[in-house]
Amino acid sequence: MNGQNLETVFELLMDSEKIFELGGERRLYGFLFEYRGGGREYIGVRGRIPYTLAKKINCDPLNKMKICINGGSAGWKLLECLKHDEKDYVSDEEARQLIDDGKGDEMYIEYYHIWTIEGLKHVINCIREYGKINKWAIGNE
């Protein structure tokens, strides 16, 4: 990052990408972006990320962009991490059935940890391509 810390690069990228800021929060289509410091610098994206969008974000099979689901290990598989309002985490089998039934977006990822600027740019592009407002944007933490 050419001697700049992640927080500085994050702020510069948020400005150049025209990520909406209100009250110190950076949001794109309702998804919240935040820099997290304190020894383990990363960028968080939160806001109940629906399966369809999470699938786009997770299209980096070798994890070169260092994007981690729910802050876990890079090797976690998307279907193992999906939540559902009625069941909390769903099994692989339940997730596949919901997807087959056309109800994939009833499942979601709570947040991502992003460790690289390339990963952050990838997530921003995925959200823009997805193009839908996060229906849980109002009132989420």
Side-chain angles (χ1 to χ4, degrees):
M1 284 182 267
N2 299 331
Q4 295 176 310
N5 69 21
L6 185 60
E7 183 176 19
T8 302
V9 175
F10 168 73
E11 290 299 331
L12 290 170
L13 183 64
M14 293 289 104
D15 290 340
S16 70
E17 290 286 337
K18 297 179 179 26
I19 304 299
F20 181 69
E21 180 178 4
L22 179 64
E25 291 184 344
R26 298 281 193 160
R27 291 187 184 262
L28 178 62
Y29 290 100
F31 297 97
L32 176 64
F33 290 82
E34 56 192 348
Y35 164 79
R36 305 295 274 186
R40 286 186 48 186
E41 285 189 309
Y42 65 89
I43 297 159
V45 176
R46 33 180 94 249
R48 290 193 181 191
I49 300 155
Y51 168 73
T52 305
L53 176 54
K55 187 176 173 184
K56 284 179 178 262
I57 291 170
N58 277 45
C59 71
D60 178 23
L62 300 177
N63 198 33
K64 290 186 177 186
M65 291 181 271
K66 299 193 188 274
I67 300 170
C68 300
I69 298 170
N70 295 337
S73 83
W76 284 10
K77 294 182 174 82
L78 178 60
L79 290 183
E80 295 172 356
C81 300
L82 290 167
K83 286 188 157 196
H84 191 278
D85 284 332
E86 295 175 11
K87 299 192 80 142
D88 201 25
Y89 286 102
V90 295
S91 69
D92 287 8
E93 187 175 303
E94 292 168 316
R96 284 186 178 82
Q97 187 61 53
L98 284 166
I99 293 165
D100 290 346
D101 292 345
K103 298 179 180 179
D105 278 348
E106 289 181 11
M107 298 178 293
Y108 59 91
I109 296 294
E110 288 185 318
Y111 63 95
Y112 282 98
H113 283 186
I114 305 166
W115 303 93
T116 65
I117 293 303
E118 295 78 18
L120 178 58
K121 288 178 182 179
H122 171 70
V123 171
I124 290 169
N125 288 336
C126 289
I127 291 172
R128 285 192 169 134
E129 287 174 12
Y130 180 69
K132 296 179 186 173
I133 300 294
N134 177 1
K135 65 182 180 179
W136 294 284
I138 297 177
N140 68 3
E141 296 179 0

